[in-house]
Every structure is written in C-alpha cells, then in structure tokens.
C-alpha cells in the first residue's frame, strides 16, 4: 500500500527535465537575492511585497504557485497564507524573510530565506538556526531514509532543543510540474514513506518562545 501511494504521489511527467527544473531552482534563489537587495530600513512591508512582484515580473515569471510573502518583524511569526498586520516598517535592528513560489517555463520554483538588518543577537541566532535546523533534518533524511512524518517530528524536537518553536502548519510539499498539487496537495510531514530526492521542498519556520519574531528557510531535499 505504501509503495503504491508513493508511486502515485511521486509520479512525474515523461518529459520532465531535471536540468531545467534545477535552473529554475537557482533562478528562484537569485530572485530572493535581488529582492533582498531592494529592501531597505524604513520600508513598509507592503512596499516590499510590491517590489517583490515587480522583481519577479522583470525576471520573466509568468505566474506563481503562491504570491510572494515578505514578512517584517512581528509578521515573521505569521503562518503561510495569513494576512500580515498592516503598516509594519522595517527597523534598524530587525528581521524579515522572503518566501516566493515563482513559475518559469512549466516548472515551479520555491525559495525562502531570512535576513537581519542590525545586530540583535537573538534575531541573528534565529536567522542562523533556521538554516541549521534545515541542515540537520536534511542530513537525517540522507542518512536514515526517514519518512516525511518522522522528519518533521525530528524537526520539531530539534527546534525545541535549540530554544525555538517550530511552526508545523508550514510542513513541506511536492514540487515539479506546475501545479504540483495535481500529483499531491498534502504536506511532506504527512507522507509515511521516505521522500525521493529532488521532488520535495523542506520548509522550516521557527519563532522565538517569548518575543514576536521568527525565521523561515526552504529548499529542495537533494
């Protein structure tokens, strides 16, 4: 039963181009870098999101599997799809993340990363730890061939041990031919088998236990 489910969920088109798919992955992270370069202290979050859309359009994206989410400060604890509190301005000692899901050609990209603007030590640690947690989970997948369910159980435990709270509402998904939810519209955290390489996005969103800020990072399991 599990093997049959895995075959159904991980099915790809016969003409799937891994080379083009990875070019789009690289282009997505380049878009994140370009958007980050345009974000300035004193900017409103709404302005940053408008700039992100313009940047993606200038790079030739035809549509997106989801709209860009640029979250500033206290909005970084918002779950995916939740509306931001309006009027949040980026401060001198602040944190923000970029989450984009652009589509080029016939494939989706998905990229997310966190940045800090100053020297707040807890915000810096948060932005670094979200990548460390990502790597620990990715390494466990490579070494132990864990199921998606086990990976997010481990992610939650790891985040807690490092002093953070993991947002389990943002828990990975399929990627590939657009739209990915034609193959599977559930989460990586729900699958009872080991995810195959190059098909799944691992998403990690953490937040501070007491203060209203968090961090986000995502990339393919490869």
């Amino acid at each position: 039963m599990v093997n049959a489910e895995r075959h159904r969920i991980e099915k790809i088109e016969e003409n799937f181009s891994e080379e083009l798919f990875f070019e789009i992955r690289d282009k997505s992270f380049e878009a994140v870098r370009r958007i980050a370069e345009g974000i300035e202290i004193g900017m409103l979050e709404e302005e940053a999101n408008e700039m992100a859309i313009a940047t993606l359009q200038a790079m030739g994206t035809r549509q997106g599997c989801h709209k860009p989410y640029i979250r500033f400060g206290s909005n970084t604890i918002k779950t995916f799809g939740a509306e931001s509190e309006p009027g949040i301005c980026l401060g001198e000692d602040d944190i923000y993340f970029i989450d984009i899901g652009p589509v080029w050609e016939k494939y989706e990209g998905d990229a997310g990363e966190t940045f800090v603007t100053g020297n707040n030590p807890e915000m810096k640690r948060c932005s670094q730890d979200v990548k460390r947690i990502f790597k620990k989970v990715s390494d466990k997948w490579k070494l132990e061939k864990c199921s998606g369910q086990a990976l997010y159980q481990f992610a939650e435990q790891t985040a807690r041990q490092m002093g953070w709270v993991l947002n389990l509402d943002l828990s990975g998904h399929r990627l590939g031919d657009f739209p990915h939810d034609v193959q599977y519209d559930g989460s990586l955290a729900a699958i009872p088998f080991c995810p195959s390489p190059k098909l799944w996005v691992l998403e990690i969103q953490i937040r501070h236990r007491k203060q209203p800020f968090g961090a986000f990072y995502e990339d393919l399991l490869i």
Side-chain angles (χ1 to χ4, degrees):
M1 179 66 72
V2 170
N3 286 338
E5 184 179 19
R6 178 176 187 164
H7 178 75
R8 176 184 63 83
I9 289 174
E10 295 195 332
K11 182 181 178 181
I12 58 174
E13 298 294 327
E14 290 183 3
N15 63 346
F16 182 82
S17 170
E18 185 176 297
E19 180 180 2
L20 178 57
F21 182 56
F22 272 81
E23 286 178 7
I24 288 169
R25 171 183 173 253
D26 292 343
K27 195 170 185 179
S28 297
F29 276 96
E30 172 61 24
V32 168
R33 287 189 288 271
R34 292 190 190 186
I35 293 166
E37 288 173 357
I39 292 177
E40 300 176 343
I41 293 168
M43 178 180 279
L44 288 171
E45 185 181 282
E46 291 87 346
E47 295 172 329
N49 277 284
E50 290 174 4
M51 181 268 292
I53 292 170
T55 300
L56 291 169
Q57 289 175 343
M59 293 180 70
T61 184
R62 64 180 178 87
Q63 61 195 100
C65 53
H66 67 75
K67 70 177 184 178
Y69 286 98
I70 287 78
R71 307 279 203 186
F72 287 175
S74 59
N75 282 331
T76 56
I77 66 174
K78 297 285 186 178
T79 58
F80 180 80
E83 292 297 322
S84 282
E85 291 297 321
I88 300 295
C89 183
L90 189 66
E92 293 183 356
D93 280 304
D94 215 340
I95 191 167
Y96 69 94
F97 70 71
I98 298 169
D99 176 13
I100 59 171
V103 177
W104 286 284
E105 307 285 340
K106 60 178 181 177
Y107 298 132
E108 300 169 344
D110 208 11
E113 194 160 355
T114 299
F115 304 85
V116 293
T117 59
N119 296 308
N120 182 298
E122 283 293 275
M123 289 180 176
K124 280 191 170 183
R125 186 171 72 89
C126 191
S127 69
Q128 294 164 355
D129 278 359
V130 74
K131 287 187 175 182
R132 293 188 180 110
I133 295 167
F134 180 97
K135 186 177 187 307
K136 286 177 182 288
V137 176
S138 178
D139 287 347
K140 187 176 182 67
W141 164 73
K142 292 174 186 176
L143 293 171
E144 300 182 22
K145 310 300 180 187
C146 297
S147 69
Q149 295 168 345
L151 286 178
Y152 272 91
Q153 290 170 1
F154 176 73
E156 184 178 29
Q157 177 186 17
T158 302
R160 184 170 61 251
Q161 289 172 345
M162 296 173 69
W164 308 104
V165 178
L166 182 73
N167 171 23
L168 282 168
D169 291 330
L170 203 63
S171 52
H173 59 83
R174 261 292 309 266
L175 201 65
D177 297 295
F178 178 74
H180 67 259
D181 55 12
V182 169
Q183 284 84 18
Y184 176 65
D185 63 357
S187 70
L188 171 59
I191 63 171
F193 55 83
C194 176
S196 295
K198 308 171 186 177
L199 290 179
W200 295 89
V201 173
L202 175 65
E203 299 173 310
I204 302 293
Q205 185 183 18
I206 58 175
R207 61 166 294 169
H208 195 278
R209 285 178 174 173
K210 296 180 179 179
Q211 299 179 43
F213 69 82
F216 175 70
Y217 186 78
E218 67 175 341
D219 194 6
L220 284 171
L221 285 171
I222 50 178

